[in-house]
Amino acid sequence: MRTDSSPGTLPAREHLPAGNAGTPVLDVVIPVYNEEKDLQPCVLRLHDHLTRTFPYAFRITIADNASTDSTPLVAARLEAEISEVANFRLEQKGRGRALRTVWSASDAPILAYMDVDLSTDLNALLPLVAPLISGHSDLAIGSRLARTSRVVRGPKREFISRAYNMILRGSLQARFSDAQCGFKAIRRDVAQVLLPLVEDTGWFFDTEMLVLAERAGLRIHEVPVDWVDDPESTVHIVRTATDDLRGVWRIGKALAGGSLPLDRLTRPFGDDPRDRDIQDVPRGLARQLVGFCVVGGLSTLFYLVLYSVFRQFSGAQVANALALLVSAIANTAANRRLTFGVRGRGGAVRHQAQGLVVFGIGLALTSGSLAALNAATGHPAHSTELAVLIAANLAATVLRFLLFRAWVFPDRREPGPESTVVATHHPSSPACTTTAPYAPLPPRPVPYRTTQVRAGEVVDDGWRDTTMRLQPVRPHDTDPGDPR
């Protein structure tokens, strides 16, 4: 069973139609801090590339977060000279803060960002956003660690990058290959729900966003990139690594405690074949069987170890009861979280109580088997006892799964009249045949104006979809750990 406190569903993913309705399909954000030398060449090169290769309307947004040199003047001049360039000014530093603010204010269906040094080859930009435009994926990232990527950088940065991603895999079970490559994209409808859950405002912003998205079951597309290290990068490696490790600890603690409301994100976009009602195939049965078998196998090994230990100083019946009790509590907790997807502490006591009832049934089976064995042979060998207990536990395991699925953790997700749909999608409705291909996203006022915002504020130019309920964005007021 998956606990679900989400107020409803979000629109199904669809391929964005070609054409120009006044609203850019892609908004590429370039976060900058004191980049007066690199900003103009970067924007001109990116604009030329998009003009030649990108088949949709686009926008390039310069996110200037508290630059103290002439970067604001360069950005203003580029905005005045190029109609596809917009400029945002923030009064506080932090790449995460800049991306959150600009992405929250954008009206483009696809949001992307890249570093100002253009270390990533721009030929990967269209493959990056194509799965988002088609509706296949929710997020897309460039990967410098894919086998087919071609990367030029020093051994120090190579070691740090690979070590960091190994830490993510080992501690947070992350399956994406490159968390910190400055080349990512996300669908706007996904960002509206995901960004309020991301707390970091600095360099860990990317990692936190990806971990939450992956844990929630969103689809992340990876693109191998050609990448050349910038030898003049101003990133403070040691400080950034320290802040990232702190972020890993914070996210890991939150995930372990079940305090993150990932149920509001879990598979909300599009038609998931796993949610279809198929005759004679109970919903989620295959996944639950696999999870239950894994947990059951580990529990059985744990039980046998405990029984062997307790048998050293007690009789067979006492050792069996103690071992089964301890392993049953651990088994219920593991199945609750891993097999049936119940997060948080709500109902944990009731589940354990019901699990103890199931434990009583298993105890009766195993104890009865031991009693029958002793009655038959008098003094059975230890190996014979173990063999009989294994057979009895297999029978108890089958019964335990059936009781867990039907009684302890039943799937109670039934649509009712009280369900609230925050955004609906009707493929056959007249709205889908309107001449404005990006409805209900209203166009942003043109020409684009330079807008100054303070950290934590969201620019409201009428872009917000009135059918979407957003959670408040809570960026930190200060970011002392930001190395820029």
Side-chain angles (χ1 to χ4, degrees):
M1 181 185 69
R2 172 172 60 91
T3 58
D4 190 358
S5 61
S6 175
T9 57
L10 293 178
R13 295 176 298 202
E14 279 196 334
H15 193 297
L16 299 176
N20 188 353
T23 301
V25 170
L26 174 65
D27 192 348
V28 183
V29 180
I30 304 176
V32 294
Y33 173 71
N34 290 348
E35 299 287 356
E36 57 185 2
K37 294 182 180 180
D38 295 336
L39 179 56
Q40 180 168 330
C42 166
V43 172
L44 294 179
R45 180 181 167 192
L46 176 59
H47 180 267
D48 176 70
H49 177 83
L50 289 172
T51 301
R52 290 185 294 102
T53 64
F54 194 68
Y56 295 89
F58 64 88
R59 179 193 306 138
I60 301 172
T61 302
I62 303 169
D64 175 19
N65 49 333
S67 294
T68 57
D69 60 0
S70 61
T71 297
L73 299 178
V74 177
R77 184 171 67 250
L78 290 169
E79 182 185 38
E81 296 175 354
I82 305 176
S83 59
E84 291 85 3
V85 174
N87 178 30
F88 273 78
R89 166 73 179 182
L90 291 90
E91 299 301 331
Q92 289 179 296
K93 295 189 295 182
R95 181 177 69 173
R97 176 178 288 111
L99 291 176
R100 189 208 320 266
T101 304
V102 177
W103 279 355
S104 298
S106 180
D107 57 351
I110 307 298
L111 310 170
Y113 95 89
M114 63 180 59
D115 293 334
V116 69
D117 56 16
L118 293 184
S119 296
T120 304
D121 185 77
L122 292 178
N123 288 325
L125 182 56
L126 185 55
L128 181 79
V129 302
L132 308 186
I133 294 176
S134 68
H136 174 270
S137 301
D138 303 304
L139 298 90
I141 65 174
S143 176
R144 299 163 295 184
L145 303 181
R147 291 187 176 182
T148 55
S149 298
R150 287 171 279 193
V151 177
V152 179
R153 60 177 168 181
K156 180 179 179 181
R157 287 182 176 270
E158 180 75 11
F159 173 78
I160 292 176
S161 179
R162 292 189 178 274
Y164 178 65
N165 283 279
M166 288 181 61
I167 291 174
L168 293 180
R169 289 176 178 270
S171 60
L172 301 179
Q173 289 78 50
R175 289 178 291 178
F176 47 85
S177 64
D178 192 351
Q180 290 288 26
C181 181
F183 196 69
K184 295 181 175 67
I186 185 172
R187 288 179 64 98
R188 174 177 171 265
D189 50 2
V190 179
Q192 286 180 323
V193 185
L194 181 60
L195 291 183
L197 302 180
V198 181
E199 294 184 11
D200 191 82
T201 59
W203 292 91
F204 189 69
F205 175 88
D206 303 53
T207 302
E208 185 172 356
M209 178 179 68
L210 291 175
V211 169
L212 296 182
E214 186 177 70
R215 285 300 186 95
L218 302 184
R219 180 172 288 167
I220 302 175
H221 177 73
E222 293 198 15
V223 178
V225 298
D226 298 340
W227 194 84
V228 179
D229 189 16
D230 180 12
E232 299 181 358
S233 174
T234 59
V235 177
H236 194 293
I237 297 179
V238 176
R239 187 186 306 169
T240 302
T242 302
D243 293 339
D244 287 344
L245 292 177
R246 291 174 181 170
V248 170
W249 171 259
R250 173 174 58 82
I251 293 299
K253 184 178 179 181
L255 290 173
S259 60
L260 289 172
L262 296 181
D263 50 357
R264 79 174 59 161
L265 287 174
T266 302
R267 289 156 50 188
F269 302 97
D271 176 29
D272 194 314
R274 294 170 295 179
D275 293 331
R276 298 174 186 171
D277 291 327
I278 303 176
Q279 188 175 2
D280 299 328
V281 179
R283 178 178 298 179
L285 179 60
R287 180 186 59 80
Q288 291 177 356
L289 275 174
V290 172
F292 185 81
C293 288
V294 172
V295 173
L298 295 176
S299 298
T300 300
L301 293 177
F302 184 49
Y303 162 80
L304 293 176
V305 172
L306 291 176
Y307 177 81
S308 298
V309 173
F310 293 146
R311 191 66 174 85
Q312 301 299 320
F313 54 84
S314 63
Q317 295 288 1
V318 175
N320 174 66
L322 291 176
L324 196 58
L325 175 62
V326 176
S327 61
I329 294 175
N331 180 277
T332 301
N335 276 305
R336 181 178 187 270
R337 176 66 180 86
L338 301 178
T339 303
F340 299 96
V342 181
R343 299 183 177 91
R345 300 179 180 178
V349 175
R350 175 175 58 84
H351 293 154
Q352 283 292 349
Q354 293 173 309
L356 289 177
V357 174
V358 179
F359 153 75
I361 299 176
L363 178 61
L365 285 174
T366 53
S367 297
S369 299
L370 282 177
L373 178 64
N374 289 327
T377 60
H379 298 284
H382 182 65
S383 59
T384 304
E385 286 183 349
L386 290 179
V388 171
L389 287 174
I390 290 174
N393 268 285
L394 288 177
T397 297
V398 174
L399 182 60
R400 184 183 303 118
F401 175 76
L402 296 176
L403 290 175
F404 273 179
R405 180 177 172 84
W407 180 48
V408 183
F409 307 109
D411 189 349
R412 296 191 177 94
R413 290 177 295 159
E414 299 178 358
E418 297 181 358
S419 300
T420 302
V421 179
V422 297
T424 58
H425 171 69
H426 304 286
S428 61
S429 64
C432 293
T433 60
T434 179
T435 57
Y438 311 129
L441 303 179
R444 186 175 176 175
V446 179
Y448 306 121
R449 305 182 305 275
T450 302
T451 306
Q452 296 187 0
V453 297
R454 296 185 61 83
E457 296 179 346
V458 176
V459 177
D460 187 359
D461 283 335
W463 63 272
R464 187 172 295 152
D465 188 345
T466 58
T467 63
M468 187 71 65
R469 296 179 182 176
L470 300 181
Q471 299 295 325
V473 179
R474 301 183 300 275
H476 305 306
D477 293 333
T478 59
D479 191 15
D482 197 324
R484 295 196 290 174

